[in-house]
Amino acid sequence: MCGIVGYIGEKIEIVPFLIGGLRDLEYRGYDSAGVVFLDDGRLNVVKTEGKVNRLLKKLQDRGLTHKKSTLGMGHTRWATHGAPSDDNAHPLTDSSMDFAVVHNGIIENHVELRRELQSDGYSFVSDTDTEVIVYLVKKYYRDNLLDAVRQAVKRLSGAFAVGIVSRFELDKVILVRQGSPLVVGIGSGAMYFASDVNPFLTYTDEAVFLEEGQIAVLTSRSVEVMDYDGSIVEWESMHIEWTPEMASKGGFEHYMLKEIEEEGKVVRETLEGRVNLDGISLPELSGASIEQIGRLFIVACGTSYYAGMLGKYLIEELVGIPVEVEVASELRYRRFPVYPNDMAMFISQSGETADTLASLRLFKDRGIKTVSLVNVRGSTIDRESDVTLYLRAGPEIGVASTKAFVAQLALLYLIAFQWAKERNALDIREYASGLLKLPYQIEEILSDKEAIKRLAEKYYSFRNFLYLGRGFYYPIAMEGALKLKEISYIHAEAYPAGEMKHGPIALIDEQMPVVAVIPRGYIYSKTLSNLEETRARRAPIVAVATTGDSDIVRYTNDVMWIPRSMEIFAPMLCIVPL
Ligand code: BG6
């Protein structure tokens, strides 16, 4: 991923705007950053390998931070083609600085295009795929930037979002969206654009989400949207309910810490108005009666996929329909049968994950009803699904998903209970009261972070961890291991506890701590015998266990406690300390 931000309008101090926007987008990439802005009739480009702070330093050193300008674009990069370097950082320009391009995504046919453009006489300075866009636009430019861009994008294959400016037409910015998100913020006397809404929330809450295959021409007072052939498309703006405060760090050192801290509140919001002791209210599902569903596919990536795994366990157990959970990046390239009474559910915090989106389209093309669990309103998956249920988690800036996961679980509980009520006349009173306690129980766990911190300090120097769980706790073990690798850069692997003896046991010794997700319940004693096996091999054992479980301490070196709950809700509590 990469992040794009930009502005066209009345003169402002452009650098603080672009740098602020890039900071909001650093979650999308942070190995290089750059800006281009109109400066005394020419395009001034400053870029660097490294984070946004390094770019700011460079701009400060050149005395550019208070420059006023009517036009600018910024980019933060996560290298795909070409290592992180000053040359490969965006914006990319042609040699005479006539055109500047920021780009998110991948141009799949860049090798052929580069060859063609080189034989036309253009010389390249970067290793990026992006540079072909610059020279295609230059090649096709005949006093009309829009025409040149339209011709250029028709030559590109792949998924991309692009922002283009030219020193010949300084009154406009051209955006192209094909497979990567781009949103336009409608201001008064100014237009903003970015990869998501966060960079311009302080300035406007009216946004236009570009659709696939659309080109937008922005001036300070107008937005014109068209397809690649130039046919004008009517656009409608959407009101964004998120506030700039919601997307701020709120005094925390990292967004992720803030987002973990919000987990109790998020679950409360997700449940708000959707459950009380008399029942569940999910009007979004009214057109999706469980009686008409023969099989459910749940499709997602990463953390959202693990939420889907727990969803499968819940729905199969409570509702009794078969559920296939699929990693989107696998499913989309496979051939598989579907039946008319299948339903497909997509889980995505961002609503923009390319593989999940591609899978959604695949099911739609095959006439299957689609339901999505999405956090970002107006995102592509939201717009393209037949039905969307919103997570209500607020902006999640940390790349590694945390609060969205608990919101996803909360929604999956609600859906499972609703369908179980319809199909099996489940009495949901007891479940409803358990659900409503969850926000408080999450807050209780988070009130003793010091205990968890002490464990982190004790174990951080180990290089490998094995996470074990059975049943409901296996997806939680998977998610716990994912967090450790992605955030701590420590190798961690999760296994269904009962499967450990079929291979991974060979790795277990005193250098391989085992994290066991083992609350009291139906599968407790089975997991306990697996822990015996790891203890026999002298692995240090850390358990996530239920408060008051006096047996577990005899088997483990350390315990992270979760409050007592109905067993079905224990997975949600277990993920908090992990
Ligand atoms: C990954 C993140 O890149 O994307 C995960 O590291 C996330 O935390 C995954 O779950 C899928 O994202 P989304 O937005 O589709 O839920």
Side-chain angles (χ1 to χ4, degrees):
M1 282 201 304
C2 301
I4 291 174
V5 59
Y7 171 89
I8 182 161
E10 289 156 9
K11 264 194 179 175
I12 57 164
E13 284 195 358
I14 195 80
V15 169
F17 169 76
L18 294 175
I19 292 289
L22 290 180
R23 287 214 170 102
D24 289 336
L25 294 168
E26 248 185 330
Y27 76 94
R28 302 181 63 89
Y30 45 82
D31 62 33
S32 17
V35 293
V36 55
F37 55 93
L38 174 60
D39 185 6
D40 292 334
R42 64 186 187 97
L43 296 177
N44 196 349
V45 173
V46 180
K47 53 187 191 165
T48 179
E49 182 204 340
K51 295 194 174 184
V52 174
N53 277 346
R54 192 143 157 202
L55 174 66
L56 178 60
K57 174 85 181 35
K58 218 166 172 176
L59 287 155
Q60 283 164 341
D61 291 348
R62 295 184 188 179
L64 295 171
T65 41
H66 297 294
K67 277 271 170 193
K68 291 205 164 171
S69 179
T70 54
L71 174 72
M73 303 194 292
H75 188 267
T76 179
R77 177 169 187 249
W78 189 239
T80 55
H81 291 69
S85 69
D86 289 5
D87 279 344
N88 290 338
H90 298 211
L92 272 295
T93 60
D94 62 311
S95 50
S96 40
M97 301 288 287
D98 295 337
F99 304 93
V101 170
V102 289
H103 160 223
N104 172 16
I106 290 172
I107 308 300
E108 284 164 2
N109 57 340
H110 73 104
V111 176
E112 304 90 278
L113 290 171
R114 178 182 279 244
R115 226 175 275 138
E116 170 191 319
L117 290 158
Q118 280 169 331
S119 66
D120 289 340
Y122 298 113
S123 39
F124 285 67
V125 293
S126 82
D127 307 314
T128 65
D129 50 346
T130 307
E131 207 172 352
V132 300
I133 308 174
V134 180
Y135 283 108
L136 277 175
V137 173
K138 189 172 175 92
K139 172 173 171 166
Y140 292 125
Y141 187 75
R142 304 275 178 280
D143 295 330
N144 188 321
L145 183 61
L146 175 60
D147 284 350
V149 171
R150 278 181 37 218
Q151 288 183 69
V153 291
K154 284 185 188 169
R155 304 281 321 272
L156 304 175
S157 50
F160 48 84
V162 181
I164 302 159
V165 292
S166 165
R167 86 178 162 91
F168 303 129
E169 300 183 32
L170 291 166
D171 59 341
K172 61 174 73 81
V173 177
I174 300 194
L175 307 176
V176 187
R177 182 206 160 132
Q178 182 171 307
S180 295
L182 261 184
V183 196
V184 177
I186 312 289
S188 69
M191 299 294 163
Y192 308 85
F193 56 97
S195 301
D196 70 34
V197 296
N198 292 327
F200 56 72
L201 278 179
T202 318
Y203 310 95
T204 177
D205 51 14
E206 287 301 315
V208 180
F209 290 80
L210 296 185
E211 305 279 354
E212 301 302 338
Q214 287 186 342
I215 298 177
V217 183
L218 270 51
T219 69
S220 57
R221 296 188 181 276
S222 68
V223 177
E224 193 171 43
V225 180
M226 64 198 71
D227 62 22
Y228 288 0
D229 291 322
S231 307
I232 298 295
V233 179
E234 291 294 316
W235 55 263
E236 241 176 81
S237 70
M238 187 171 171
H239 182 71
I240 306 296
E241 284 163 10
W242 290 354
T243 61
E245 295 71 43
M246 286 164 92
S248 76
K249 266 193 215 164
F252 285 87
E253 203 178 336
H254 303 283
Y255 281 112
M256 189 171 170
L257 280 174
K258 177 192 172 224
E259 289 160 5
I260 291 170
E261 198 68 40
E262 287 172 350
E263 286 180 358
K265 186 179 96 190
V266 161
V267 172
R268 198 170 285 122
E269 294 271 321
T270 308
L271 298 177
E272 177 69 37
R274 288 169 162 164
V275 56
N276 61 33
L277 296 185
D278 299 322
I280 307 275
S281 164
L282 291 176
E284 301 90 335
L285 290 183
S286 55
S289 160
I290 191 63
E291 299 307 334
Q292 294 152 13
I293 305 169
R295 175 176 62 160
L296 179 70
F297 280 92
I298 301 183
V299 187
C301 298
T303 295
S304 300
Y305 169 74
Y306 298 135
M309 270 177 81
L310 186 70
K312 169 188 167 80
Y313 288 13
L314 292 172
I315 293 168
E316 287 191 340
E317 179 158 331
L318 292 168
V319 187
I321 57 164
V323 182
E324 311 282 345
V325 198
E326 300 278 355
V327 171
S329 56
E330 282 293 312
L331 183 81
R332 66 179 285 199
Y333 298 112
R334 259 186 24 222
R335 283 209 253 169
F336 56 94
V338 291
Y339 303 103
N341 63 351
D342 284 343
M343 182 198 250
M345 178 183 282
F346 303 86
I347 307 182
S348 176
Q349 185 286 123
S350 60
E352 297 292 352
T353 301
D355 290 317
T356 311
L357 175 59
S359 305
L360 165 77
R361 290 178 178 156
L362 205 133
F363 278 96
K364 286 193 78 174
D365 289 348
R366 297 173 79 177
I368 302 299
K369 186 166 177 82
T370 57
V371 175
S372 293
L373 276 52
V374 160
N375 195 35
V376 180
R377 278 172 197 259
S379 59
T380 316
I381 293 177
D382 173 17
R383 282 176 289 131
E384 295 194 14
S385 300
D386 296 326
V387 172
T388 303
L389 288 104
Y390 296 110
L391 302 183
R392 304 180 185 162
E396 188 175 64
I397 313 287
V399 173
S401 183
T402 53
K403 64 174 178 173
F405 182 71
V406 290
Q408 289 164 347
L409 296 191
L411 259 184
L412 286 162
Y413 282 118
L414 290 172
I415 293 167
F417 293 146
Q418 171 66 23
W419 282 343
K421 188 175 171 221
E422 276 177 41
R423 193 172 146 125
N424 307 325
L426 177 88
D427 178 358
I428 63 159
R429 263 171 302 189
E430 199 185 345
Y431 292 108
S433 99
L435 257 183
L436 291 165
K437 279 189 202 139
L438 282 172
Y440 301 96
Q441 293 178 313
I442 291 173
E443 281 158 1
E444 188 184 329
I445 298 169
L446 288 170
S447 68
D448 191 13
K449 288 189 290 293
E450 280 309 309
I452 300 169
K453 196 172 175 187
R454 278 196 296 278
L455 287 188
E457 279 161 2
K458 180 169 169 188
Y459 285 94
Y460 81 94
S461 55
F462 285 94
R463 298 311 306 153
N464 298 287
F465 282 74
L466 183 65
Y467 282 58
L468 298 177
R470 278 176 181 254
F472 287 161
Y473 309 114
Y474 172 45
I476 299 302
M478 301 282 281
E479 172 57 12
L482 180 67
K483 283 290 144 319
L484 194 71
K485 22 187 169 201
E486 197 170 0
I487 296 308
S488 314
Y489 305 154
I490 296 172
H491 169 242
E493 212 179 328
Y495 245 79
E499 185 68 6
M500 179 200 59
K501 57 181 170 290
H502 301 294
I505 197 164
L507 291 170
I508 294 175
D509 62 16
E510 63 275 15
Q511 291 308 316
M512 173 77 95
V514 168
V515 178
V517 189
I518 181 172
R520 278 284 181 183
Y522 77 114
I523 210 100
Y524 179 82
S525 57
K526 293 277 176 203
T527 315
L528 214 50
S529 20
N530 302 128
L531 289 192
E532 281 280 27
E533 293 158 5
T534 64
R535 201 158 63 125
R537 283 161 181 79
R538 297 197 298 279
I541 303 175
V542 183
V544 182
T546 313
T547 301
D549 179 357
S550 51
D551 297 327
I552 197 74
V553 285
R554 291 204 302 276
Y555 288 80
T556 55
N557 301 63
D558 290 288
V559 182
M560 296 186 270
W561 299 108
I562 58 158
R564 288 196 187 92
S565 69
M566 284 176 79
E567 184 173 20
I568 199 164
F569 299 122
M572 168 92 92
L573 300 175
C574 288
I575 198 57
V576 180
L578 289 179

